[in-house]
Amino acid sequence: MSFIESVRARAVWDSRGCPTVEAEVRLDSGARGLAIAPAGASTGAGEARELRDGGERLKGLGVDRAVRAVNEVLGPCLQGMDITDQVGIDAAMCSADGTADKSRLGANAITAVSLACLWAASRQAGLPLWRHLSGTNEVRLPLPQIQIFGGGAHAKGSVDVQDFLAVPHGAKSFAQSLEWVAEVYHAAGKALSAQGKSLGVADEGGFWPQFGSNEGAIEALVKAIEAAGLRPGRDVSIALDLASTQYFAEGFYHWRSENRRFDKDQLLQLYTRWVQDYPIVSMEDGFAEDDIEGMQAMTHALGHKLQIIGDDFFVTNAPRIAERAGQGACNAVLIKPNQVGTVSETRQALETCRARGLGSIVSARSGETEDVSIVHLAVGWGVAQLKVGSFARSERMAKWNEGLRIEEDLGRALPYPHPHLFAWQHSS
Ligand code: 2PG
Ligand code: MG
């Protein structure tokens, strides 16, 4: 057994140049774990709360209070605990915080410490984190969802839909899936430059498009898949994160870029046509975080041929997943550790998905760093899909590259991707 000797935190910087919390856990054996909390921009109202300093400095985003919460409260509280007892460690942090949303000590502080403990435990066991988590279970690499165009809260003034993503479900290995998406990404960039529509890249590295409409971005993505020499719908399909909470107000969905507004029925009609006209396999947050009726209608109408993901809708919260899935809303759940704040609660959310027959996708946030924990969680926990943003910027590439290293360790002997994924595409 090995025990926690110290837990310290420091402020570091994320991919948007904003401060975030890094935690460092040291064991009596000398083993060490390090992890950094990510940060969202299109956050759900039900997420665990970050602790930020407020005030003028750094637009109020400083994390000195969260760092102090680690150094003065969480560290002393965890000192001496058995590092293999992740559930106990996380429970101790939750009770030290004492709030339902982790707002006293901060979900940024608690997430960083929880993940750093997990890394320390894997180091102590002498195993890569994914192997430490998987035990003797068979594992394989997840199928990626990779952003090609970014919009919404990640590219202000662009289109309203947040993520236009490529899903390379026809690839035979993780390495091949990345190579295919690289071709699509570069083909998309080339086409945008040729048309004079490139505005650089959005928060997650996807191109920041100047399209006249949201549908225009979908058309451009289909063309980019073709230009890359790949077959839309057979090799590479499309996923959308509508992030619709961002433009829902007073019962209507408002698309500023097109000066249009939709009621629930009209929005569902539009989605239904898109699914007919384009090779779309997955749609996330198609209705707003509390629009249970909209999500139920969407799942009822399209759930047999489409992955319908709840992100802000579920906020990685096990009781909320159980309740809302029981009402027939969504058939898959986005899993983001910092939405709920600890490794154990993230695991509970995943177990709830499995018990209810829901799909799951481990996801990064729009504000990220070099931290690669989520790749290990996805592989080690056997989650079939991974969403990390685009195919540019090192906070994203660090994760894709970590997946390549893990695939090499595994020897690529396993079937890829997970065979049940998007089965209707393979058989069409
Ligand atoms: C999402 C994420 C990642 P954010 O909505 O799925 O794309 O965005 O981290 O801003 O919530
Ligand atoms: Mg989302």
Side-chain angles (χ1 to χ4, degrees):
M1 255 205 272
S2 193
F3 300 98
I4 296 175
E5 194 171 82
S6 68
V7 182
R8 302 286 306 164
R10 63 182 66 88
V12 294
W13 301 93
D14 75 10
S15 54
R16 283 191 272 247
C18 296
T20 185
V21 180
E22 177 173 75
E24 182 168 340
V25 172
R26 283 182 190 273
L27 306 183
D28 59 346
S29 62
R32 191 178 75 125
L34 264 185
I36 309 177
S42 62
T43 48
E47 291 193 23
R49 299 258 162 235
E50 295 178 323
L51 185 60
R52 300 273 182 187
D53 297 342
E56 298 281 297
R57 179 178 157 260
L58 295 167
K59 297 199 176 70
L61 295 175
V63 292
D64 290 358
R65 289 164 68 205
V67 166
R68 275 204 304 278
V70 175
N71 294 343
E72 293 169 16
V73 184
L74 295 173
C77 152
L78 299 184
Q79 209 173 21
M81 284 190 80
D82 171 6
I83 195 62
T84 61
D85 182 15
Q86 184 78 41
V87 171
I89 289 169
D90 290 341
M93 289 198 284
C94 291
S95 67
D97 174 79
T99 66
D101 58 5
K102 302 187 174 62
S103 52
R104 195 173 82 83
L105 301 176
N108 42 357
I110 295 172
T111 302
V113 173
S114 184
L115 285 166
C117 286
L118 191 65
W119 278 102
S122 79
R123 294 268 147 75
Q124 176 61 28
L127 292 170
L129 180 50
W130 63 269
R131 180 52 84 195
H132 174 66
L133 291 169
S134 69
T136 54
N137 292 342
E138 190 189 77
V139 291
R140 65 186 101 211
L141 268 290
L143 176 66
Q145 287 195 5
I146 304 185
Q147 188 196 61
I148 305 299
F149 303 123
H154 302 164
K156 289 189 187 60
S158 172
V159 286
D160 308 270
V161 173
Q162 181 180 285
D163 295 327
F164 299 83
L165 307 119
V167 183
H169 53 76
K172 295 286 177 279
S173 67
F174 186 75
Q176 186 177 46
S177 73
L178 295 189
E179 188 169 324
W180 283 6
V181 174
E183 299 281 14
V184 174
Y185 183 75
H186 294 300
K190 195 170 157 193
L192 282 180
S193 305
Q195 295 156 20
K197 287 183 178 169
S198 184
L199 294 178
V201 295
D203 275 11
E204 298 191 33
F207 294 107
W208 180 322
Q210 199 177 51
F211 294 117
S213 69
N214 290 279
E215 191 165 343
I218 301 177
E219 283 164 5
L221 180 46
V222 175
K223 286 198 184 115
I225 296 169
E226 287 167 347
L230 295 158
R231 297 167 300 174
R234 296 285 291 174
D235 300 323
V236 180
S237 291
I238 293 175
L240 302 174
D241 181 359
L242 288 304
S244 65
T245 306
Q246 296 290 315
Y247 44 79
F248 181 67
E250 289 157 19
F252 289 93
Y253 291 86
H254 304 258
W255 280 359
R256 258 172 296 249
S257 73
E258 297 182 31
N259 199 19
R260 285 168 88 185
R261 75 168 202 182
F262 305 87
D263 65 20
K264 288 176 210 213
D265 290 343
Q266 290 164 331
L267 195 61
L268 182 55
Q269 273 168 27
L270 179 77
Y271 292 163
T272 306
R273 184 176 65 70
W274 277 3
V275 172
Q276 273 160 16
D277 292 352
Y278 302 102
I280 297 173
V281 291
S282 179
M283 288 173 113
E284 178 180 327
D285 282 350
F287 287 86
E289 60 190 354
D290 288 322
D291 190 350
I292 298 176
E293 207 182 275
M295 276 296 201
Q296 284 170 325
M298 184 177 181
T299 309
H300 184 70
L302 299 171
H304 59 292
K305 55 177 168 183
L306 191 67
Q307 176 169 267
I308 298 175
I309 307 174
D311 168 15
D312 296 347
F313 192 74
F314 291 125
V315 290
T316 317
N317 181 299
R320 189 156 155 152
I321 295 168
E323 186 192 327
R324 292 186 164 191
Q327 295 170 352
C330 300
N331 57 24
V333 179
L334 210 69
I335 302 284
K336 293 167 163 172
N338 82 321
Q339 263 182 340
V340 65
T342 62
V343 171
S344 313
E345 289 163 287
T346 307
R347 175 80 203 190
Q348 263 171 27
L350 180 62
E351 298 296 343
T352 307
C353 294
R354 290 184 169 154
R356 303 258 163 182
L358 300 166
S360 48
I361 303 93
V362 168
S363 172
R365 301 307 305 247
S366 48
E368 274 290 338
T369 64
E370 66 272 28
D371 187 287
V372 293
S373 306
I374 56 162
V375 184
H376 289 261
L377 296 183
V379 176
W381 286 346
V383 179
Q385 295 171 76
L386 178 64
K387 180 185 173 209
V388 171
S390 193
F391 210 67
R393 302 178 39 143
S394 288
E395 79 278 6
R396 313 289 151 189
M397 304 320 291
K399 293 161 183 71
W400 301 130
N401 290 340
E402 187 75 352
L404 289 174
R405 289 180 203 107
I406 298 173
E407 187 171 57
E408 200 177 291
D409 275 4
L410 282 168
R412 286 196 205 168
L414 295 163
Y416 179 90
H418 291 242
H420 60 278
L421 275 181
F422 309 121
W424 64 91
Q425 294 294 324
H426 295 287
S427 58
S428 61

